[in-house]
Every structure is written in C-alpha cells, then in structure tokens.
Amino acid sequence: MLNHRDKRRYVAIMYDENAKDRPFQVNEKIGIRFKELFGVFQMQSAMLKIYDSDFGNIMIIGCKLKYLDYFLVSLVLGEPSLTVVSISGTLKKLRKNVSQMGFRNIKNNRS
C-alpha cells in the first residue's frame, strides 16, 4: 500500500489586535464554532493547527485541504471579526505573500 499524505493549506487571518483576545484564544473560538457547525469528528479530521507569525495582528492556521471549505465557513460565521488575508500550500510561500503585502504598516496606522 502506498503511503499517502493529506495536502494541507495554510491561511493567514487578520484579527482585531485591540480586542482582549490573544491569538490562541481566537484559535479556540474558531475551533468551538467549527465544532458547533460541523461536529467534533469533522474538527478532529481537519487537524487545525496554529503557527507562529511575525506579523503582529495576523495569525496563521493550517488545516487539511479537504476541510478548507468548512474552515472558511466557520471563520465567516464566527463571533470575532476575522479577515482572510492569504491562503497557500506552504508556510514559506504564505509568509512571503503576507510580507509583500505590507500589513505591518496597517497595524501601525491603526494605533
């Protein structure tokens, strides 16, 4: 039998930095909403994982490609205001895309 690794997608999400929630708390809220909409089994299968980000108010979350639609729906229907900035198949490419967009300047202009 061939070893098959599921494809993953990495999503850069902009959240409100002035809110009292930290990135891991926002991730928990996304996970709770995902469970409410699609169930525990779907959430465990999606394998949501938060990654380090050097971009202030942008967090990076990875999930399986098969469950990307479910994940995006849970972002839209969730309570905190979140904006998807970029989606990529590799962390390196996603970080490059976000750094080229210059979101550090947007963060500084809001304060």
Side-chain angles (χ1 to χ4, degrees):
M1 177 182 248
L2 295 175
N3 290 335
H4 177 59
R5 209 165 93 184
D6 291 325
K7 292 184 178 181
R8 296 183 59 80
R9 289 296 177 258
Y10 303 95
V11 182
I13 301 168
M14 183 185 300
Y15 63 96
D16 186 16
E17 189 176 283
N18 298 327
K20 59 185 176 182
D21 296 332
R22 300 283 178 236
F24 64 91
Q25 293 170 330
V26 173
N27 186 36
E28 287 178 8
K29 287 184 178 182
I30 293 169
I32 290 169
R33 187 63 178 161
F34 196 100
K35 274 193 272 189
E36 290 173 353
L37 292 172
F38 305 109
V40 177
F41 180 74
Q42 297 291 340
M43 184 185 160
Q44 293 298 322
S45 298
M47 293 179 61
L48 301 177
K49 183 178 177 186
I50 190 168
Y51 292 91
D52 290 334
S53 173
D54 301 331
F55 302 109
N57 62 338
I58 294 179
M59 59 189 267
I60 299 173
I61 298 180
C63 73
K64 286 186 179 179
L65 176 61
K66 182 178 178 181
Y67 298 98
L68 182 63
D69 294 337
Y70 299 135
F71 176 65
L72 294 176
V73 167
S74 66
L75 286 178
V76 170
L77 298 177
E79 181 60 33
S81 59
L82 302 172
T83 304
V84 174
V85 176
S86 181
I87 299 175
S88 181
T90 63
L91 282 171
K92 183 177 180 179
K93 184 68 173 175
L94 182 70
R95 287 184 175 128
K96 182 178 177 184
N97 289 343
V98 172
S99 67
Q100 288 177 351
M101 291 179 189
F103 283 107
R104 291 179 186 165
N105 298 337
I106 290 175
K107 173 189 164 193
N108 293 335
N109 289 338
R110 286 185 182 176
S111 351

